[in-house]
Amino acid sequence: MTNPFLNLNYETALESLGKDYYHPVTAAEFPAHILRFRNNELLPILGLNPKLVKDEDFIEAFGKFQSIRPFLALCYHGYQFGQYNPNLGDGRGFLYGQVRGIDNNLYDFGTKGSGQTPYSRFADGRLTLKGGVREVLAGEALHQLGVNTSRTLSLIETGESLWRGDEPSPTRSCVMIRFSRSHIRFGSFERLHYLKRPDLIEKLLNHVIYYYYPNIDVENKDCYAMFYAELVERVAKLTAQWMSSGFCHGVLNTDNMSITGESFDYGPYAFIPDYNFDFTAAYFDYAKRYCYGHQPLMCKLNLEMLQIPLKMVMSPEDLESGLIHFDHLYKDYYHQLMMKKLGIINLEIPETKDLLKETTNLLKESSISYHDFFAELAKSFNHGWLEDSSTILENVPLNSSNLEKWQNLYHQVLTQLPPENKEKIGNILRDSNPQTALLRPVIESVWEAIAYEDNWQPFQELLTKIRKKE
Ligand code: AMP
Ligand code: MG
């Protein structure tokens, strides 16, 4: 076998846990295999040289699924929009394999759209091409924004016609490989609680700590408390990353929460156009449960729900004392990230707290979009701003009665920066605020070129822009 993907050194971490956690499945056979996206940026992590990996290698491994390993549909339940659903699990995907990266992390190759499994219920096990294109873009954009996210390794169009209620149908099909730290979810634990199997919870928890929390010793008597406290911190950090990036995940059900604190599964997500807490990404989220502004609250609630299964193997006090820290951890990370978007990495300056408040007030009132505000800051920053506060964003129509107050405060903070950091403001601004945002109309126009003309150039161009932070 010369296919580098088939020759990788696959580990059997999850498989070794035994059949209580998954169901072996086979992949669907597709009428066509057209490689639409290959993520060359991920190949070096796998120790592969992109120049030596052929398109055909992707197609054989991730479209035709030539493999000698078992594919595992993972079992999980979850709270969906607040209701417990025991009829979940990998219904259109499976764990293709697990590989150790050159960074020594273990990574999952997870499929999406690879055919039916015992968990498909009455659905087709397929992924629409538009859904795949949207997930590729989300992963790349979020990664560039510094969000701890899964990414897409490959996207292969598979030549079938799908029928969907939320896309003009028939619509095109694809199969995707998701590259992520793990596909173990909060819902994986919820299922084991439902099955009344504390023994299986303990085994899974030990596995999670061993592979994904390597700084915690599984032999330590406090290891579960330490794990939960670290998970709380990782989720708080992730939520702050979403919020500062203006990202609304859309479906924060517990089956979409990774036990590693990584962001994944991008369905109806959207980046917010205006700074509006009520903005809701999923059209079916009638109650606005997972709107942009609810995300910290919903993530904290999901962490609280996870206490139900974890209580089977650890003390409620340890869980309580872990969750207590969520609010201040979230606030601190959010403050830090928002200051970075303003070009500031010195958080000791006391006025930065007020600056955060005034910036969000300005954004609420102003007619400028969330993205444009920060993109303009990055584009128009000059050292004159440190001399005269009225020149800050002077040519940008902000239309806000708070403008002067905000300019003064921003000026006050900038002038207090130590000289070496004053020099860095422009670079920090440009690094934290890309010029291209993945707003819905941008994705739609890329998709229309694909749908009407089979023109993939706008998609490629958008990826290039996102990756160069242009
Ligand atoms: P998601 O909304 O993608 O997080 O999926 C929620 C649940 O529905 C998971 O158990 C999926 O595997 C399942 N599911 C979603 N779409 C399909 C489909 N087309 N075929 C089979 N199962 C699906
Ligand atoms: Mg999901």
Side-chain angles (χ1 to χ4, degrees):
M1 279 191 296
T2 54
N3 186 325
F5 293 121
L6 304 184
N7 283 333
L8 287 170
N9 204 359
Y10 289 94
E11 294 190 19
T12 54
L14 206 131
E15 191 189 340
S16 321
L17 281 173
K19 292 199 175 163
D20 291 310
Y21 300 91
Y22 54 78
H23 204 102
V25 291
T26 52
E29 283 181 27
F30 297 109
H33 309 90
I34 310 162
L35 184 65
R36 296 301 191 182
F37 172 72
R38 49 178 279 174
N39 202 332
N40 285 340
E41 288 191 4
L42 295 176
L43 298 181
I45 304 175
L46 299 167
L48 301 177
N49 177 350
K51 290 201 186 98
L52 303 180
V53 181
K54 301 189 293 290
D55 287 359
E56 194 53 31
D57 296 330
F58 278 92
I59 288 171
E60 271 174 21
F62 305 136
K64 296 184 179 165
F65 293 99
Q66 295 178 0
S67 168
I68 44 166
R69 284 177 323 284
F71 298 144
L72 313 176
L74 306 184
C75 309
Y76 55 85
H77 293 173
Y79 283 93
Q80 298 191 304
F81 293 90
Q83 296 293 318
Y84 193 74
N85 187 349
N87 294 307
L88 289 173
D90 278 342
R92 54 169 161 175
F94 51 72
L95 180 67
Y96 175 100
Q98 296 182 291
V99 181
R100 202 158 289 275
I102 55 164
D103 55 5
N104 214 29
N105 283 332
L106 185 68
Y107 289 100
D108 278 9
F109 294 169
T111 66
K112 191 169 182 178
S114 49
Q116 289 171 314
T117 77
Y119 310 104
S120 303
R121 286 165 287 167
F122 302 105
D124 59 8
R126 288 352 192 225
L127 173 65
T128 67
L129 185 61
K130 186 177 185 185
V133 162
R134 280 176 48 83
E135 181 148 343
V136 170
L137 292 170
E140 295 313 290
L142 289 171
H143 172 73
Q144 294 303 331
L145 286 161
V147 177
N148 177 18
T149 180
S150 72
R151 295 170 76 183
T152 302
L153 180 61
S154 65
L155 184 75
I156 293 172
E157 185 169 358
T158 44
E160 294 179 323
S161 296
L162 306 179
W163 295 86
R164 290 290 184 274
D166 52 5
E167 277 185 45
S169 296
T171 189
R172 289 151 74 175
S173 65
C174 70
V175 63
M176 205 190 91
I177 300 293
R178 184 189 288 142
F179 182 82
S180 80
R181 285 310 310 282
S182 169
H183 284 80
I184 301 172
R185 307 142 193 261
F186 288 17
S188 313
F189 288 89
E190 287 164 341
R191 166 178 168 267
L192 301 172
H193 171 263
Y194 182 90
L195 298 175
K196 301 191 176 64
R197 294 296 300 269
D199 56 324
L200 296 183
I201 291 185
E202 198 164 311
K203 195 168 160 190
L204 187 61
L205 203 50
N206 290 341
H207 169 92
V208 165
I209 295 170
Y210 178 76
Y211 283 101
Y212 307 109
Y213 292 76
N215 53 324
I216 301 174
D217 182 358
V218 272
E219 301 296 324
N220 187 320
K221 70 172 176 37
D222 293 324
C223 73
Y224 291 169
M226 290 159 80
F227 153 76
Y228 187 71
E230 188 170 334
L231 174 65
V232 167
E233 176 155 8
R234 290 190 194 182
V235 174
K237 193 171 185 176
L238 173 65
T239 316
Q241 291 167 347
W242 286 340
M243 293 300 284
S244 61
S245 303
F247 181 73
C248 181
H249 180 286
V251 192
L252 292 179
N253 293 331
T254 57
D255 53 306
N256 286 340
M257 298 286 295
S258 163
I259 203 71
T260 67
E262 186 183 58
S263 172
F264 80 123
D265 209 355
Y266 302 116
Y269 74 88
F271 283 85
I272 50 169
D274 302 312
Y275 184 71
N276 170 10
F277 265 41
D278 287 341
F279 176 86
T280 306
Y283 69 90
F284 46 85
D285 185 0
Y286 307 108
K288 298 188 174 294
R289 180 183 174 91
Y290 299 131
C291 69
Y292 168 71
H294 277 177
Q295 295 183 114
L297 197 73
M298 287 298 130
C299 286
K300 187 179 173 189
L301 181 68
N302 287 337
L303 284 162
E304 194 177 335
M305 302 293 255
L306 182 65
Q307 295 188 355
I308 301 170
L310 295 185
K311 262 179 207 160
M312 291 186 110
V313 299
M314 63 184 283
S315 83
E317 292 78 26
D318 282 345
L319 289 162
E320 266 325 297
S321 55
L323 192 59
I324 277 172
H325 297 291
F326 183 89
D327 291 343
H328 76 85
L329 286 167
Y330 167 72
K331 260 198 210 133
D332 287 353
Y333 280 123
Y334 181 67
H335 179 223
Q336 187 189 329
L337 291 170
M338 292 302 283
M339 285 306 117
K340 222 171 140 225
K341 284 179 87 67
L342 291 165
I344 298 155
I345 49 170
N346 301 73
L347 304 178
E348 314 80 56
I349 301 169
E351 285 87 351
T352 59
K353 287 255 155 38
D354 290 339
L355 179 60
L356 176 57
K357 212 164 104 220
E358 283 308 321
T359 305
T360 51
N361 279 344
L362 181 79
L363 283 164
K364 254 181 239 167
E365 226 197 60
S366 169
S367 51
I368 196 166
S369 77
Y370 186 78
H371 167 78
D372 286 350
F373 175 77
F374 290 103
E376 285 292 347
L377 270 186
K379 204 161 67 180
S380 50
F381 172 77
N382 62 78
H383 282 271
W385 291 9
L386 287 103
E387 308 301 323
D388 178 357
S389 66
S390 71
T391 63
I392 299 179
L393 291 185
E394 61 184 337
N395 298 319
V396 178
L398 289 168
N399 309 325
S400 165
S401 56
N402 287 323
L403 179 59
E404 210 179 311
K405 195 172 172 196
W406 175 79
Q407 284 172 321
N408 285 334
L409 201 53
Y410 191 27
H411 176 258
Q412 223 178 320
V413 175
L414 292 183
T415 50
Q416 286 181 69
L417 291 171
E420 69 273 18
N421 287 3
K422 280 191 183 127
E423 290 310 310
K424 289 189 194 142
I425 301 169
N427 282 343
I428 300 170
L429 281 171
R430 282 184 292 276
D431 198 49
S432 318
N433 303 304
Q435 293 297 310
T436 305
L438 196 60
L439 292 167
R440 269 198 179 143
V442 175
I443 304 179
E444 286 302 312
S445 77
V446 160
W447 172 248
E448 276 169 23
I450 296 169
Y452 297 127
E453 303 157 32
D454 203 23
N455 176 6
W456 289 78
Q457 204 177 335
F459 169 71
Q460 290 300 342
E461 285 168 2
L462 180 57
L463 277 172
T464 306
K465 276 193 196 166
I466 288 171
R467 285 174 163 176
K468 282 198 195 145
K469 298 195 178 182
E470 279 175 359

